[in-house]
Every structure is written in structure tokens, then in C-alpha cells.
Amino acid sequence: MDVSMREPGGAEHGAEGMPTWNFVLKFRLPDPAADPADLLDALYAAGCDDATVGVGRRGSIALDFSRQAPTPDRAVRSALEDVRRAIPGVVPTEAAPDMVNLSDLADLVGCTRQNMRKYAAGEIRAVRSPFPEPAHSGTPSLWRLAEVLAWLDRNTDLRPDPAALQLAQAVSAINLDVQRARLDGSMAG
Amino acid sequence: MSRSPHPSKEIEAAVRHAEARGWTVRKGRGHCWGILRCPMNDAECRCGEFCQTSVWSTPRVPENEARKIRRVVDGCVHAGTGRR
């Protein structure tokens, strides 16, 4: 199985040994009316030349990173540091991929949506444990990518790249911090 | 379209792929070579922030930048089918 190595969620193993981690970080800008394009040079100077930057929403900015680092945790955290250095007061709002729907899961894992739906619905018999519960049940339901990759590894022939699982875990950890900070912020007076 | 080509062949090819599907290029300044804009560029667009995607003049790895340009464009519901 191949969490596509060069897409967000994937990790590439370079010839030199240092892997490349692919993930997206989204931020709220301190000034809601700010044009994110004005911040590009500062981001470049801070080391974000390994990210493609989305500047289509005022007050917001998104960076699609392909970052070389020994671990995914270092990759994601160094990326956050670079953006914070470039844009004082910037607030991370989301890291991806983490919360994913059935179609996203199928794409990331490289199987059909129908197959993934069957796994999720418990219609594939020869498994050792039940499919993970969605993180959010609804229309659509959303799953934590790290949980599904771990489950696939233990219960199916689809063997996720261990690096992809590590990356999903690192991205999910960032999101937990971000969500906690957002909740705390909403409760502050 | 009167614009100078991107110095990287791979990125230039990705930009042409974007243009063939209705995306436009706005000239950038500083390290930003240009900004690729989605044909619709509306609030409903699934591309989100990537409705306008910045392209570096000198990205760290041009191949990666080119690939991401293609990904945004190929994922855009508003892009035309164009030539592949």
C-alpha cells in the first residue's frame, strides 16, 4: 500500500537518508483584512521556500510543505516555528491531512472508495478488530487518519508506510494542540 | 499570453497546465514569481486558500513546487477540462 509518497500525508525517503514529509498547515493572520500575498517575502526569508503558499483568502494563509527532517515531528514543528517567525501573531488553525472522509481515505490509501466503505462498515470479515470509530459521525463522517492507517496495518494486507503513520500521528498531535488552544481562546473573557 | 516563462522548466510546464485549464497568472514581486488564480475564485471554491497559489521564483525543490501546482489545479472543481 502506498500513501502516495509525494502527496500531503506521504513521506519520501531520499537517497541521502533524510526523508521528506508532506503536509499542509493553515493559519489565521493577526489582521483579518490583511492580504496574505504581502507576507510572502517574510515567509521565504524564514525558510518556507519548501512550501507552496495559498493566498486566496484575506486574513488567512495556507502552506503546503515538502519538508526534509529526520522525524515528522521535527518537520511539522520547525514549519510552525518558521511561519511564526515570519508572521508574529499568526495563529495555526489546522494541520492536514488528519481528519479525513471516506473518499480522502481511499485516495490516501490507494484503494477504491467502495472498498474503504466496506472496511468502515465492517463488511470485510477477516479482520482482527473493528474499524476505528469516526472522530466525527455525520454527513460526512470524518476519521483520524493515524487511527485508520494503524488499523489497516494490523488487520489487512494493505501495509501503510510506517513513515506515513508517523506523519499522521505528528499532524494529529498538532491539531489536538490547536483545537485545545482554540477552545481555551473561546472561553477567555 | 504575454508573460515571461518561469526559470524552471518543470514549473513552467505546470503553469501552462494551469493556464490550459483556465487559471490565470498574475505577476508577483520579490521572491514570488507569480500568483496562479482559479477561474472562479469564489467563496464556495473547494480550493480554499489555494484559490490563489503563489509560485516561488526559486523554490527549494522546483519539482515539488511544480507537482503542487498541478495538484491544486487538478483538484479544482471550477477548472476547465482543457488539454491534458
Side-chain angles (χ1 to χ4, degrees):
Chain A
M1 179 186 99
D2 182 22
V3 174
S4 185
M5 292 194 310
R6 295 174 163 194
E7 303 304 307
E12 271 181 275
H13 305 277
E16 311 80 40
M18 187 113 97
T20 298
W21 310 93
N22 297 298
F23 55 91
V24 177
L25 297 178
K26 300 192 181 196
F27 300 84
R28 179 163 53 80
L29 298 175
D31 174 2
D35 181 354
D38 292 341
L39 300 163
L40 288 167
D41 278 349
L43 285 166
Y44 190 94
C48 295
D49 59 331
D50 60 346
T52 305
V53 189
V55 295
R57 290 217 172 124
R58 282 199 177 261
S60 181
I61 199 159
L63 288 92
D64 187 343
F65 280 94
S66 292
R67 175 148 291 205
Q68 277 198 304
T71 67
D73 200 64
R74 290 266 289 275
V76 181
R77 290 188 189 276
S78 67
L80 280 170
E81 279 165 23
D82 287 355
V83 176
R84 282 173 166 142
R85 192 166 60 249
I87 311 172
V90 83
V91 177
T93 54
E94 187 179 356
D98 175 27
M99 294 288 115
V100 285
N101 63 25
L102 221 49
S103 299
D104 296 333
L105 276 173
D107 287 345
L108 284 161
V109 160
C111 71
T112 63
R113 190 185 182 282
Q114 188 179 35
N115 246 34
M116 189 57 68
R117 195 201 55 75
K118 285 185 175 173
Y119 281 124
E123 290 172 16
I124 309 278
R125 288 300 178 155
V127 295
R128 294 166 58 197
S129 59
F131 198 82
E133 295 295 334
H136 163 76
S137 300
T139 315
S141 289
L142 297 174
W143 282 264
R144 177 171 282 106
L145 176 60
E147 291 177 42
V148 176
L149 291 179
W151 184 90
L152 288 168
D153 187 52
R154 286 183 213 122
N155 291 274
T156 72
D157 295 342
L158 299 170
R159 299 255 100 143
D161 179 0
L165 174 53
Q166 285 172 40
L167 176 58
Q169 288 167 335
V171 170
S172 203
I174 294 294
N175 272 333
L176 289 173
D177 292 344
V178 166
Q179 295 305 320
R180 170 54 77 182
R182 287 173 68 166
L183 180 59
D184 290 348
S186 75
M187 294 190 296
Chain B
M1 171 139 313
S2 60
R3 61 164 178 86
S4 6
H6 193 284
S8 152
K9 256 184 7 202
E10 284 156 318
I11 294 178
E12 175 61 22
V15 170
R16 290 193 187 190
H17 173 76
E19 287 173 318
R21 304 190 75 208
W23 288 59
T24 55
V25 182
R26 190 177 93 213
K27 196 174 198 308
R29 54 187 167 83
H31 291 288
C32 169
W33 169 84
I35 294 180
L36 283 169
R37 309 183 75 216
C38 164
M40 287 303 287
N41 201 35
D42 61 20
E44 306 296 300
C45 186
R46 212 175 62 177
C47 303
E49 288 86 350
F50 294 101
C51 241
Q52 296 191 49
T53 294
S54 167
V55 180
W56 299 123
S57 301
T58 50
R60 201 179 293 192
V61 181
E63 182 188 46
N64 290 343
E65 186 92 329
R67 189 178 68 248
K68 287 171 204 172
I69 291 168
R70 287 179 185 274
R71 189 197 314 130
V72 173
V73 171
D74 292 347
C76 175
V77 294
H78 293 305
T81 48
R83 297 181 326 262
R84 289 199 182 256

